[in-house]
Amino acid sequence: MKEILVVDDEIGVREAFRTILKDDYHVLIAENGEQAIELLKVNKNIRLVILDIILPGISGIEVLKQIKKINLGLPTMIVTATRNEQSLTEAMQLGAVSYITKPFGAKQVKEIIQNTVN
């Protein structure tokens, strides 16, 4: 089963992604950037990272930079509650493949992920 890493500091958001994706993917969870980076270093089977742009500690932008150092080709989808154009532009320039705003719907998430992972 394909693995997806969800990085978000909000438990409700993490669980929403887990619920939406559990039938088709093995979902790994990280509560912050540090956990995400450690998981990416040890798990080479992750096919997609869903990354909140605003995280405690290391920012989502900094995590994205680290992801590209660990695995340049790993697709990353940005999740944001605030549509900060500067942050989204920076994320896309750093290689994010798409973004989704909170709140999001299951259909929207599945469509973006299917287009990215499959």
Side-chain angles (χ1 to χ4, degrees), residues 3 12 16 20 29 35 39-40 43-45 63 66-67 74 78 82 89 93-95 102 104 106 110-111 114:
E3 295 188 354
I20 292 167
I29 299 290
Q35 286 179 355
L39 280 169
L40 287 163
N43 188 329
K44 302 302 178 195
N45 296 319
V63 174
Q66 293 299 316
I67 289 169
L74 183 61
I78 298 298
T82 60
T89 299
Q93 288 172 340
L94 288 169
K102 300 175 191 175
F104 47 82
K110 286 183 176 185
E111 284 176 4
Q114 284 176 344

Short mmCIF file of all heavy atoms in Angstrom, two decimals, residues 3 12 16 20 29 35 39-40 43-45 63 66-67 74 78 82 89 93-95 102 104 106 110-111 114:
data_model
loop_
_atom_site.label_atom_id
_atom_site.label_comp_id
_atom_site.label_asym_id
_atom_site.label_seq_id
_atom_site.Cartn_x
_atom_site.Cartn_y
_atom_site.Cartn_z
N GLU A 3 2.33 4.87 0.78
CA GLU A 3 2.37 5.61 2.04
C GLU A 3 2.34 7.11 1.79
O GLU A 3 3.00 7.62 0.89
CB GLU A 3 3.62 5.24 2.83
CG GLU A 3 3.61 3.80 3.27
CD GLU A 3 4.74 3.44 4.21
OE1 GLU A 3 5.63 4.27 4.46
OE2 GLU A 3 4.72 2.31 4.70
N GLY A 12 -7.31 17.35 14.64
CA GLY A 12 -8.51 17.21 13.82
C GLY A 12 -8.18 17.12 12.34
O GLY A 12 -8.79 16.34 11.60
N ALA A 16 -8.70 13.90 9.99
CA ALA A 16 -9.52 14.05 8.78
C ALA A 16 -8.81 13.43 7.58
O ALA A 16 -9.41 12.67 6.81
CB ALA A 16 -9.83 15.52 8.53
N ILE A 20 -10.03 10.15 5.41
CA ILE A 20 -10.25 10.27 3.97
C ILE A 20 -9.38 9.28 3.19
O ILE A 20 -9.82 8.71 2.19
CB ILE A 20 -9.95 11.72 3.50
CG1 ILE A 20 -11.00 12.68 4.06
CG2 ILE A 20 -9.90 11.81 1.97
CD1 ILE A 20 -10.63 14.15 3.93
N ILE A 29 1.76 9.89 10.29
CA ILE A 29 1.41 11.19 10.89
C ILE A 29 2.63 11.80 11.57
O ILE A 29 3.37 11.11 12.27
CB ILE A 29 0.30 11.00 11.95
CG1 ILE A 29 -0.98 10.42 11.33
CG2 ILE A 29 0.04 12.27 12.73
CD1 ILE A 29 -1.72 11.35 10.42
N GLN A 35 9.43 15.92 13.50
CA GLN A 35 8.98 14.54 13.34
C GLN A 35 8.92 14.16 11.86
O GLN A 35 9.29 13.04 11.49
CB GLN A 35 7.59 14.34 13.96
CG GLN A 35 7.57 14.30 15.45
CD GLN A 35 6.14 14.12 15.99
OE1 GLN A 35 5.17 14.11 15.24
NE2 GLN A 35 6.03 13.99 17.30
N LEU A 39 10.92 11.05 10.05
CA LEU A 39 10.21 9.98 9.33
C LEU A 39 10.70 9.86 7.88
O LEU A 39 10.86 8.76 7.36
CB LEU A 39 8.70 10.24 9.34
CG LEU A 39 7.95 9.85 10.61
CD1 LEU A 39 6.53 10.41 10.59
CD2 LEU A 39 7.91 8.33 10.75
N LEU A 40 10.94 10.98 7.26
CA LEU A 40 11.40 10.96 5.86
C LEU A 40 12.81 10.38 5.74
O LEU A 40 13.12 9.75 4.73
CB LEU A 40 11.35 12.36 5.27
CG LEU A 40 9.95 12.86 4.97
CD1 LEU A 40 9.94 14.37 4.78
CD2 LEU A 40 9.40 12.16 3.73
N ASN A 43 12.13 6.40 6.33
CA ASN A 43 11.12 5.71 5.53
C ASN A 43 11.21 6.15 4.08
O ASN A 43 10.81 7.26 3.73
CB ASN A 43 9.72 5.97 6.08
CG ASN A 43 8.67 5.12 5.42
OD1 ASN A 43 8.79 4.77 4.26
ND2 ASN A 43 7.63 4.80 6.16
N LYS A 44 11.70 5.27 3.25
CA LYS A 44 11.89 5.60 1.82
C LYS A 44 10.67 5.23 0.97
O LYS A 44 10.70 5.37 -0.24
CB LYS A 44 13.14 4.89 1.28
CG LYS A 44 14.41 5.25 2.03
CD LYS A 44 14.69 6.72 2.01
CE LYS A 44 15.93 7.05 2.81
NZ LYS A 44 16.08 8.44 3.11
N ASN A 45 9.59 4.76 1.60
CA ASN A 45 8.40 4.34 0.86
C ASN A 45 7.32 5.41 0.78
O ASN A 45 6.27 5.18 0.18
CB ASN A 45 7.80 3.08 1.50
CG ASN A 45 8.75 1.91 1.41
OD1 ASN A 45 9.41 1.71 0.40
ND2 ASN A 45 8.85 1.15 2.48
N VAL A 63 10.51 22.93 6.30
CA VAL A 63 10.35 21.47 6.13
C VAL A 63 10.38 21.11 4.66
O VAL A 63 11.03 20.14 4.26
CB VAL A 63 9.04 20.97 6.79
CG1 VAL A 63 8.81 19.49 6.48
CG2 VAL A 63 9.06 21.19 8.30
N GLN A 66 13.84 20.95 3.46
CA GLN A 66 14.49 19.71 3.93
C GLN A 66 14.01 18.50 3.13
O GLN A 66 14.80 17.61 2.82
CB GLN A 66 14.23 19.50 5.42
CG GLN A 66 14.89 20.54 6.31
CD GLN A 66 16.41 20.54 6.18
OE1 GLN A 66 17.04 19.50 6.16
NE2 GLN A 66 16.98 21.73 6.06
N ILE A 67 12.72 18.46 2.82
CA ILE A 67 12.18 17.36 2.02
C ILE A 67 12.93 17.27 0.70
O ILE A 67 13.31 16.19 0.26
CB ILE A 67 10.66 17.55 1.77
CG1 ILE A 67 9.88 17.33 3.06
CG2 ILE A 67 10.16 16.61 0.66
CD1 ILE A 67 8.41 17.74 2.98
N LEU A 74 10.18 13.87 -4.34
CA LEU A 74 9.01 13.54 -3.52
C LEU A 74 7.96 14.65 -3.62
O LEU A 74 8.21 15.79 -3.24
CB LEU A 74 9.42 13.34 -2.07
CG LEU A 74 8.31 12.93 -1.10
CD1 LEU A 74 7.71 11.58 -1.50
CD2 LEU A 74 8.87 12.85 0.32
N ILE A 78 0.77 21.29 -0.11
CA ILE A 78 0.68 22.24 0.99
C ILE A 78 -0.76 22.36 1.46
O ILE A 78 -1.69 22.38 0.66
CB ILE A 78 1.20 23.64 0.54
CG1 ILE A 78 2.68 23.56 0.13
CG2 ILE A 78 0.97 24.69 1.62
CD1 ILE A 78 3.63 23.14 1.23
N THR A 82 -4.80 29.86 6.04
CA THR A 82 -4.79 31.24 5.57
C THR A 82 -4.16 31.27 4.18
O THR A 82 -3.13 30.66 3.96
CB THR A 82 -3.97 32.15 6.50
OG1 THR A 82 -2.63 31.66 6.55
CG2 THR A 82 -4.57 32.18 7.89
N THR A 89 3.38 31.08 -2.87
CA THR A 89 4.28 31.28 -4.00
C THR A 89 5.64 30.69 -3.70
O THR A 89 6.23 29.98 -4.52
CB THR A 89 4.41 32.78 -4.34
OG1 THR A 89 3.12 33.28 -4.69
CG2 THR A 89 5.38 33.01 -5.48
N GLN A 93 7.47 27.59 -5.61
CA GLN A 93 8.81 27.76 -6.18
C GLN A 93 9.78 26.72 -5.63
O GLN A 93 10.72 26.32 -6.33
CB GLN A 93 9.33 29.18 -5.90
CG GLN A 93 8.62 30.23 -6.71
CD GLN A 93 9.01 31.66 -6.30
OE1 GLN A 93 9.52 31.89 -5.21
NE2 GLN A 93 8.74 32.61 -7.18
N LEU A 94 9.55 26.27 -4.40
CA LEU A 94 10.40 25.26 -3.79
C LEU A 94 10.03 23.84 -4.23
O LEU A 94 10.69 22.88 -3.85
CB LEU A 94 10.33 25.36 -2.27
CG LEU A 94 11.02 26.57 -1.66
CD1 LEU A 94 10.66 26.72 -0.19
CD2 LEU A 94 12.54 26.44 -1.82
N GLY A 95 8.97 23.72 -5.01
CA GLY A 95 8.65 22.41 -5.56
C GLY A 95 7.36 21.78 -5.09
O GLY A 95 7.09 20.62 -5.42
N LYS A 102 -7.87 24.92 4.13
CA LYS A 102 -8.78 24.42 5.17
C LYS A 102 -9.97 25.35 5.24
O LYS A 102 -9.79 26.56 5.14
CB LYS A 102 -8.08 24.41 6.54
CG LYS A 102 -6.85 23.54 6.62
CD LYS A 102 -6.20 23.72 7.99
CE LYS A 102 -4.84 23.10 8.05
NZ LYS A 102 -4.16 23.38 9.32
N PHE A 104 -11.33 21.57 3.98
CA PHE A 104 -11.30 20.89 2.69
C PHE A 104 -12.30 19.74 2.71
O PHE A 104 -12.72 19.28 3.76
CB PHE A 104 -9.90 20.36 2.38
CG PHE A 104 -9.28 19.62 3.54
CD1 PHE A 104 -9.61 18.29 3.79
CD2 PHE A 104 -8.39 20.26 4.38
CE1 PHE A 104 -9.06 17.62 4.86
CE2 PHE A 104 -7.83 19.59 5.46
CZ PHE A 104 -8.17 18.26 5.70
N ALA A 106 -13.49 15.78 1.30
CA ALA A 106 -12.89 14.49 0.96
C ALA A 106 -12.69 14.33 -0.54
O ALA A 106 -11.64 13.88 -0.99
CB ALA A 106 -13.75 13.36 1.51
N LYS A 110 -9.08 13.70 -2.39
CA LYS A 110 -8.83 12.48 -3.17
C LYS A 110 -8.46 12.80 -4.61
O LYS A 110 -7.56 12.18 -5.18
CB LYS A 110 -10.05 11.57 -3.12
CG LYS A 110 -10.21 10.87 -1.80
CD LYS A 110 -11.38 9.91 -1.82
CE LYS A 110 -11.46 9.14 -0.51
NZ LYS A 110 -12.51 8.11 -0.55
N GLU A 111 -9.11 13.78 -5.21
CA GLU A 111 -8.80 14.15 -6.59
C GLU A 111 -7.37 14.67 -6.73
O GLU A 111 -6.64 14.27 -7.63
CB GLU A 111 -9.78 15.21 -7.11
CG GLU A 111 -11.14 14.66 -7.45
CD GLU A 111 -12.13 15.74 -7.87
OE1 GLU A 111 -11.74 16.93 -7.97
OE2 GLU A 111 -13.30 15.39 -8.10
N GLN A 114 -4.93 11.69 -6.10
CA GLN A 114 -4.91 10.76 -7.24
C GLN A 114 -4.13 11.32 -8.41
O GLN A 114 -3.38 10.60 -9.08
CB GLN A 114 -6.34 10.40 -7.66
CG GLN A 114 -7.00 9.43 -6.72
CD GLN A 114 -8.45 9.15 -7.08
OE1 GLN A 114 -9.08 9.89 -7.84
NE2 GLN A 114 -8.99 8.08 -6.53
#
